[in-house]
């Protein structure tokens, strides 16, 4: 039996729809509230709603805006938006812009859902998405997953309506390409669209519009790749690392089942089951809208559960929009007498505040009054992502008064009030650091400053210069050789110093954790008026030339550089190399962990090696990038 074309309902226009008007008003009121509370002077130092990767997204945007900061090769659309706002002097408005995209997508969701199901059902589900505690918490963060999911759904919306207006195939392909430039998961639009056209819309293949959509989908990323290599000369380190996370696995099933309930709410997940069944039934009848919705939902969910080996609650925002379409289908087919109860439960489950942040995987809401939750503990997997510990599951009841404190509007308001009350001194212009070659953050513990990944990007953004993350004890023997002076400091939990090396005219910044022993040591050195580095000597000149020769042999400052020092042998090139290396991905092994560093690189593909006066230097292929290993240990 040939597939029958499915036409969306052409009822009254949205402009005359009272439910749509209510939804627009609610979105505008909420956006106005957020605009009054989310604009902070500095996203890195002041903005309270950040994830661990937020500073990295900002640093990639600042690099595209022309600042000499750390660049890791993040998907470019969010960084391009950051770069544009930075150039316009409007970067503090980024959270409001991202929230505007989320609210606009809610309105589009209603417009599309109302074409295929009763408008009251579309309205209830759209409202549940708007007031969702977890979705709103994720939308507050400077991250790419929510905007990518919004663009992906806009692409899906255009595809669903393309049966009546074929030119929307082109719009769908363009939006999907932009979604792919925001996060790579949007690539799964392509198989869902292809299956739908082949099975339920084969006649559309005779039209040029689906082919135009495919061309735009492939062309947008291709254009960016050419521009990226021409302007920046590198893809960055992150894309290669992402490939290492692609492997088939089954140990994430329990995690994502738990997180789906945490994100959408328990009533929504219970209602999703008949919605899935109805959608599958209509898919069997080759309904294009149901086939595409199911293919997109299943493809995205299967990718994160079985293929991408890093667990995160935020990844489920991609499936929230197609799940919403199926929720509307389920609502519309319930017996009339229980529809009000089901709709109320759906909204209550979505709006129920959770004790954790938007991306916190620990909590599931069970009942609103009194607030009752399911709580879980998590272990860390080999990839560093959280893994649910089933034995830790327990039910917790909290006071009703807690709801007023943890709902998202209250959290936004409270964060702003606390920030307004906090005294803060003047912050120096980052231009005062432009003459410094780069910065070294010297940690005494890995947790100093929030860990390596966040510290590298956050300090790079604040100082507007590349930053390396290195163990402080490596430099302990060398402080008498360096000239140290105090420099203007930005965040209160760090201290900044300017350092000069013997025989070199450039200066570097050294950042120490606030309150650390290193800060006390550097304060003493900077306070000594007679502190001067010793005059240059043949030994120091030889050490500089050795470090420069090693870096010339490795050719490149963008990939990984693993350095294994010998702390009992006096080789002064060990001092110069961390300063002169251009890469921010310098991994300098800590005391007692030299063997771990060598083992981590042992199986890497060898591209070349050379001995520099007893120092073994290897060119290796690490994380799909040309990298280097410098080992000062005796062979």
């Amino acid at each position: 039996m040939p597939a029958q074309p499915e036409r969306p309902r052409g009822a009254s226009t949205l402009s005359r729809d009272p439910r749509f008007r209510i939804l627009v008003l609610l979105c505008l009121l909420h956006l106005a509230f957020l605009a009054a509370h989310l604009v902070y002077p500095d996203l890195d130092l002041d903005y309270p709603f950040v994830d661990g990767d937020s500073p990295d997204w900002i640093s990639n945007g600042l690099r595209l805006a022309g600042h000499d900061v750390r660049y890791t090769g993040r998907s470019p659309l969010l960084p391009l938006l950051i770069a544009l706002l930075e150039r316009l002097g409007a970067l503090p408005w980024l959270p409001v812009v991202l929230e505007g995209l989320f609210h606009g997508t809610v309105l589009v969701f209603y417009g599309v859902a109302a074409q295929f199901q009763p408008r009251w059902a579309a309205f209830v589900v759209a409202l549940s998405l708007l007031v969702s505690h977890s979705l709103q918490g994720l939308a507050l963060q400077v991250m790419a997953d929510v905007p990518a999911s919004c663009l992906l759904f806009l692409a899906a919306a255009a595809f669903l309506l393309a049966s009546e207006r074929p030119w929307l195939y082109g719009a769908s392909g363009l939006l999907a390409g932009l979604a792919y430039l925001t996060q790579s998961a949007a690539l799964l639009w392509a198989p869902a669209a292809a299956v739908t056209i082949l099975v339920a819309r084969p006649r559309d293949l005779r039209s040029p519009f689906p082919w135009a959509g495919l061309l735009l989908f492939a062309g947008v990323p291709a254009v960016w790749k050419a521009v990226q290599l021409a302007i920046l000369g590198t893809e960055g380190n992150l894309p290669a690392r992402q490939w290492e996370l692609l492997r088939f696995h089954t140990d994430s099933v329990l995690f994502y089942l738990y997180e789906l309930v945490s994100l959408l709410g328990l009533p929504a997940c219970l209602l999703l089951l008949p919605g899935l069944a109805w959608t599958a039934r209509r898919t069997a009848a080759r309904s294009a809208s149901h086939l595409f919705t199911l293919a997109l939902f299943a493809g995205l969910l299967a990718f994160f559960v079985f293929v991408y080996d890093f667990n995160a609650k935020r990844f489920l925002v991609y499936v929230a929009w197609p799940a919403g379409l199926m929720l509307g289908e389920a609502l519309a087919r319930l017996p009339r007498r229980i529809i009000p109860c089901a709709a109320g439960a759906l909204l209550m489950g979505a709006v129920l505040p959770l004790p954790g942040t938007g991306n916190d995987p620990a909590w599931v809401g069970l009942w609103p009054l009194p607030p009752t939750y399911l709580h879980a503990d998590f272990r860390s997997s080999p990839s560093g992502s959280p893994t649910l510990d089933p034995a830790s599951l327990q039910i917790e009841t909290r006071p009703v008064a807690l709801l007023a404190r943890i709902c998202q509007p209250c959290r936004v308001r409270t964060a702003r009030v606390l920030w307004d009350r906090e005294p803060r001194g003047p912050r120096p212009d980052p231009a005062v650091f432009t003459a410094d070659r780069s910065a070294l953050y010297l940690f005494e513990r890995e947790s100093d400053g929030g860990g390596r990944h966040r510290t590298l990007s956050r300090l790079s953004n604040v100082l507007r210069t590349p930053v390396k993350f290195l163990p402080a004890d490596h430099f302990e023997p060398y402080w008498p050789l360096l000239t140290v002076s105090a420099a203007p400091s930005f965040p209160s939990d760090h201290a900044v110093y300017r350092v000069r090396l013997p025989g070199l005219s450039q200066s570097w910044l050294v950042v120490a954790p606030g309150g650390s022993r290193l800060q006390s040591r550097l304060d003493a050195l900077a306070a000594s008026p007679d502190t001067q580095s010793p005059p240059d000597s043949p030994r120091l000149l030889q050490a500089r030339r050795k470090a420069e020769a090693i870096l010339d042999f490795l050719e490149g400052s963008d990939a990984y550089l693993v350095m294994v020092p010998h702390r009992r042998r006096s080789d002064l090139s060990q001092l110069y190399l961390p300063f002169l290396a251009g890469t921010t991905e310098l991994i300098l092994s800590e005391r007692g962990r030299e063997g771990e560093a060598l083992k981590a690189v042992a199986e890497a593909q060898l591209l070349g090696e050379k001995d520099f006066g007893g120092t073994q230097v290897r060119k290796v292929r690490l994380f799909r990038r040309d990298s280097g290993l410098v080992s000062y240990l005796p062979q």
Side-chain angles (χ1 to χ4, degrees):
M1 178 179 177
Q4 297 298 318
E6 183 180 41
R7 299 183 183 277
R9 300 171 184 173
S12 60
T13 61
L14 288 177
S15 61
R16 296 194 298 269
D17 185 343
R19 297 184 184 89
F20 182 70
R21 292 178 181 179
I22 293 173
L23 208 56
V24 169
L25 179 61
L26 291 174
C27 287
L28 290 176
L29 290 174
H30 190 230
L31 266 180
F33 169 81
L34 293 176
H37 294 85
L38 290 184
V39 181
Y40 289 80
D42 191 295
L43 293 178
D44 286 287
L45 299 179
D46 304 314
Y47 190 67
F49 305 105
V50 294
D51 190 85
D53 288 338
S54 296
D56 195 39
W57 286 104
I58 298 170
S59 70
N60 278 254
L62 294 177
R63 178 66 176 272
L64 296 180
H67 297 288
D68 185 19
V69 297
R70 184 173 184 249
Y71 180 72
T72 58
R74 290 277 181 182
S75 297
L77 199 61
L78 178 57
L80 285 170
L81 174 61
I82 292 171
L84 174 62
L85 293 175
E86 166 70 8
R87 288 293 186 92
L88 295 175
L91 186 55
W93 284 85
L94 174 66
V96 179
V97 174
L98 297 180
E99 280 281 0
L101 175 61
F102 175 80
H103 286 69
T105 306
V106 170
L107 297 177
V108 172
F109 174 89
Y110 172 77
V112 173
Q115 298 294 309
F116 298 97
Q117 54 195 240
R119 289 178 182 260
W120 65 263
F123 176 78
V124 170
V125 177
L127 187 59
S128 73
L129 294 172
L130 177 62
V131 302
S132 169
H133 175 85
S134 290
L135 285 177
Q136 275 298 325
L138 291 168
L140 289 172
Q141 297 177 348
V142 181
M143 295 285 287
D145 294 291
V146 171
S149 74
C150 291
L151 289 170
L152 180 59
F153 180 75
L154 295 179
F159 184 90
L160 289 171
L161 300 177
S163 60
E164 281 288 290
R165 295 176 283 276
W167 61 269
L168 285 175
Y169 279 122
S172 180
L174 176 61
L175 288 166
L178 294 175
Y180 176 71
L181 287 186
T182 311
Q183 279 287 51
S184 300
L187 180 66
L188 294 171
W189 168 90
V195 167
T196 303
I197 290 178
L198 291 174
V199 174
R201 295 179 180 174
R203 295 177 183 177
D204 288 358
L205 291 174
R206 303 170 190 171
S207 166
F209 294 108
W211 302 105
L214 178 62
L215 183 63
L216 287 169
F217 174 70
V220 170
V223 169
W224 162 249
K225 188 64 65 179
V227 171
Q228 180 189 41
L229 294 176
I231 296 179
L232 298 174
T234 176
E235 296 181 353
N237 290 296
L238 191 65
R241 294 294 300 268
Q242 297 295 321
W243 282 101
E244 303 296 322
L245 295 173
L246 300 181
R247 62 176 68 89
F248 179 78
H249 62 282
T250 58
D251 54 1
S252 297
V253 175
L254 183 60
F255 175 90
Y256 280 110
L257 284 176
Y258 187 85
E259 297 311 318
L260 190 64
V261 182
S262 178
L263 181 77
L264 298 179
L266 181 59
C269 290
L270 294 176
L271 194 59
L272 186 60
L273 296 177
L276 276 167
W278 173 257
T279 303
R281 179 181 175 185
R282 296 292 295 138
T283 295
R286 289 192 281 184
S287 163
S289 64
H290 294 87
L291 173 58
F292 181 75
T293 300
L294 184 61
L296 187 61
F297 175 86
L300 289 165
L301 194 59
F303 173 75
F304 289 116
V305 174
F306 298 114
V307 179
Y308 192 66
D309 194 14
F310 191 93
N311 300 333
K313 178 181 177 179
R314 68 177 187 272
F315 295 148
L316 291 176
V317 298
Y318 295 95
V319 305
W321 303 102
L325 293 176
M326 291 186 283
L327 287 174
E329 296 277 7
L331 267 180
R333 282 160 179 79
L334 289 176
R336 187 180 298 271
R337 63 181 180 277
I338 67 171
I339 284 177
C341 295
L346 179 63
L347 292 170
M348 188 62 68
V351 78
L352 176 61
L354 302 180
T357 60
N359 201 31
D360 186 351
W363 300 92
V364 164
L366 298 179
W367 189 257
L369 296 173
T372 305
Y373 303 97
L374 187 63
H375 181 266
D377 294 330
F378 292 84
R379 300 185 297 263
S380 180
S381 69
S383 63
S385 66
T387 301
L388 180 66
D389 179 10
S392 69
L393 290 171
Q394 58 182 354
I395 295 177
E396 298 186 14
T397 300
R398 298 296 182 91
V400 175
L402 177 71
L403 296 178
R405 297 198 303 270
I406 65 175
C407 67
Q408 293 297 359
C410 187
R411 282 179 168 172
V412 169
R413 172 64 179 166
T414 301
R416 185 68 195 207
V417 169
L418 292 176
W419 184 85
D420 287 337
R421 291 175 180 172
E422 181 184 346
R424 56 184 59 81
R427 292 171 178 170
D429 188 332
V432 301
F433 303 116
T434 54
D436 300 297
R437 183 162 171 176
S438 63
L440 284 68
Y441 180 84
L442 305 185
F443 67 88
E444 294 182 334
R445 302 174 303 275
E446 273 286 346
S447 60
D448 289 341
R452 180 178 187 274
H453 176 67
R454 183 180 179 189
T455 300
L456 282 174
S457 298
R458 181 169 179 255
L459 283 179
S460 183
N461 300 342
V462 170
L463 301 172
R464 294 294 198 267
T465 190
V467 179
K468 303 158 203 172
F469 188 82
L470 307 171
D473 65 358
H474 172 78
F475 298 90
E476 185 61 33
Y478 304 119
W479 292 121
L481 298 175
L482 305 177
T483 302
V484 180
S485 59
S489 294
F490 274 89
S492 59
D493 54 343
H494 299 87
V496 185
Y497 305 85
R498 185 167 278 115
V499 169
R500 297 184 185 276
L501 280 70
L504 295 176
S505 59
Q506 304 106 317
S507 62
W508 283 261
L509 298 173
V510 168
V511 184
S516 63
R517 290 175 298 173
L518 177 62
Q519 182 184 7
S520 300
R521 175 72 182 273
L522 294 177
D523 282 342
L525 291 173
S528 301
D530 57 346
T531 299
Q532 297 290 333
S533 61
D536 202 4
S537 67
R539 185 181 175 210
L540 288 168
L541 176 61
Q542 182 182 12
R544 289 198 305 274
R545 288 178 174 173
K546 178 178 177 178
E548 291 167 349
I550 289 173
L551 294 174
D552 287 342
F553 173 72
L554 292 175
E555 293 181 357
S557 60
D558 183 63
Y560 298 90
L561 176 58
V562 179
M563 177 179 168
V564 183
H566 193 322
R567 290 180 167 86
R568 293 188 300 274
R569 188 176 71 181
S570 180
D571 187 333
L572 292 178
S573 69
Q574 295 183 128
L575 164 64
Y576 285 97
L577 189 63
F579 284 93
L580 296 178
T583 180
T584 60
E585 304 304 328
L586 173 61
I587 313 297
L588 198 162
S589 65
E590 298 178 62
R591 186 182 300 274
R593 302 179 66 176
E594 292 84 358
E596 295 179 24
L598 291 173
K599 183 178 179 181
V601 187
E603 297 183 1
Q605 179 186 357
L606 181 64
L607 304 177
E609 60 182 328
K610 188 174 180 179
D611 185 88
F612 290 83
T615 300
Q616 185 185 47
V617 181
R618 295 180 179 179
K619 294 180 182 179
V620 295
R621 189 76 173 170
L622 190 63
F623 299 117
R624 303 173 185 261
R625 298 294 304 276
D626 290 347
S627 305
L629 168 67
V630 180
S631 175
Y632 285 89
L633 298 180
Q635 304 303 309

